[in-house]
């Protein structure tokens, strides 16, 4: 059941399931907490799993102005406090990985362990690191007619053959609006500090076939985070939580809660 939590100026929609140490899930740029619907049941036996909507996403309500990464990090920290948690493990996927980095940098006491999936490092912008950024932007701008091609950027062709309904996943994208424009401005924000300043134990995950954020971009982060572990997921594209939730859950549990991985 959806819960609404007042976190400062933001009324955050979230789902809380399971028991044990808190694990906060951070979704991607154009997604919502629903992207974790297959992942949460796999993690709930081991953790109190918190999936929530960021500003200008899903059911969360916030002031009608573009937010910054610092704002999103503050929202996450206040959400944890409001739910009664001083700190949590954090998993961020894609842009959610940027939010997770910001939380770890700006509120380090709120982060126990950090898992970064299919993301790119602060403070550098996406367009600087990913050479295909202009083509991806064009496909997004061309929706809904470009939905089927756009799906191939997020999921490998072999997977789409088994889940053909996902080829039209992006066809239902909402038309451009003031809200979506604010979200786009938020995604383009950054911090002055970078991943080298992260102190939380960190696992970096990348899909071998990711076209949105090339795996080399994601995995390179581990070289700048002290003692970070890495995992390359064979045959997996960008949206790991939808394509391979069981594999993703196994790696998260193994890293965050080793004894639970044996259960």
């Amino acid at each position: 059941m959806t819960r609404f939590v007042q976190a400062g100026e933001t009324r955050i929609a979230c789902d809380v399931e399971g028991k044990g140490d808190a694990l906060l899930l951070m979704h991607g740029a154009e997604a919502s907490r629903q992207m974790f619907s297959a992942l949460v049941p796999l993690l709930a036996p081991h953790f109190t799993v918190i999936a929530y909507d960021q500003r200008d996403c899903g059911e969360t309500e916030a002031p009608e102005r573009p937010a910054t990464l610092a704002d999103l990090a503050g929202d996450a920290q206040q959400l944890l406090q409001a739910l009664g948690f001083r700190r949590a493990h954090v998993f961020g996927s894609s842009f959610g990985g940027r939010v997770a980095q910001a939380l770890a940098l700006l509120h380090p006491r709120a982060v126990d362990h950090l898992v970064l999936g299919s993301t790119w490092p602060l403070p550098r912008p996406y367009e600087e690191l990913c050479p295909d950024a202009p083509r991806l932007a064009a496909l997004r701008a061309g929706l809904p007619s470009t939905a089927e091609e756009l799906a191939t950027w997020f999921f490998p062709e072999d997977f789409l053959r088994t889940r053909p309904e996902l080829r039209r996943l992006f066809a239902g994208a909402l038309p451009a609006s003031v809200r979506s424009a604010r979200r786009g401005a938020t995604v383009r924000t950054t911090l002055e500090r970078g991943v080298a300043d992260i102190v939380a134990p960190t696992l970096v995950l990348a899909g071998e076939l990711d076209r949105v954020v090339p795996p080399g971009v994601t995995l390179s982060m581990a070289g700048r985070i002290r003692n970070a572990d890495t995992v390359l997921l064979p045959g997996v594209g960008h949206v790991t939580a939808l394509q391979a939730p069981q594999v993703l859950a196994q790696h998260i549990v193994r890293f965050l809660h080793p004894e639970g991985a044996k259960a």
Side-chain angles (χ1 to χ4, degrees):
M1 178 180 292
T2 302
R3 296 172 62 173
F4 291 92
V5 176
Q6 194 68 37
E9 61 184 4
T10 306
R11 184 172 182 257
I12 298 178
C14 64
D15 299 320
V16 182
E17 185 175 335
K19 59 183 179 180
D21 296 340
L23 171 56
L24 185 65
L25 306 182
M26 296 180 164
H27 62 75
E30 297 149 327
S32 71
R33 71 187 193 279
Q34 301 305 322
M35 73 172 285
F36 298 121
S37 60
L39 182 63
V40 169
L42 302 173
L43 295 172
H46 310 282
F47 309 100
T48 300
V49 184
I50 305 160
Y52 75 104
D53 293 334
Q54 298 163 27
R55 296 193 192 200
D56 291 314
C57 298
E59 299 175 274
T60 286
E61 301 171 0
E64 295 182 355
R65 58 172 174 78
T68 65
L69 267 177
D71 291 329
L72 298 188
D75 291 344
Q77 189 263 345
Q78 291 183 73
L79 172 62
L80 290 174
Q81 285 191 337
L83 292 173
F85 296 102
R86 183 176 62 87
R87 59 198 281 120
H89 304 306
V90 179
F91 169 60
S93 175
S94 193
F95 176 70
R98 299 275 278 189
V99 182
Q101 292 171 61
L103 179 62
L105 289 166
L106 298 177
H107 305 280
R109 293 184 179 179
V111 178
D112 193 329
H113 285 62
L114 185 64
V115 183
L116 302 173
S118 306
T119 191
W120 64 104
L122 288 171
R124 300 174 68 186
Y126 177 78
E127 292 77 11
E128 179 183 311
L129 294 165
C130 302
D132 291 329
R135 178 56 183 161
L136 186 59
L139 289 172
R140 283 173 162 145
L143 288 171
S145 63
T146 57
E148 293 196 18
E149 183 178 351
L150 187 59
T152 67
W153 284 67
F154 286 81
F155 303 102
E157 279 285 1
D158 286 347
F159 178 69
L160 287 172
R161 278 192 281 273
T162 67
R163 296 282 306 277
E165 74 279 7
L166 292 177
R167 291 188 183 276
R168 300 295 296 166
L169 176 67
F170 297 95
L174 295 175
S177 65
V178 172
R179 193 185 198 213
S180 66
R182 286 197 306 266
R183 180 62 172 174
T186 298
V187 172
R188 291 189 293 272
T189 66
T190 187
L191 299 178
E192 291 185 3
R193 299 173 64 190
V195 290
D197 293 329
I198 290 175
V199 297
T202 302
L203 173 65
V204 179
L205 296 157
E208 176 192 23
L209 303 180
D210 192 340
R211 297 180 65 191
V212 177
V213 183
V217 171
T218 300
L219 296 179
S220 70
M221 298 169 62
R224 282 169 275 170
I225 303 173
R226 184 176 179 181
N227 298 323
D229 293 336
T230 62
V231 172
L232 181 64
L233 302 171
V236 173
H238 185 66
V239 193
T240 310
L242 288 177
Q243 183 187 347
Q246 291 184 325
V247 173
L248 177 58
Q250 289 170 0
H251 284 293
I252 291 174
V253 171
R254 186 176 296 113
F255 180 67
L256 301 182
H257 197 51
E259 62 273 21
K262 301 173 184 177

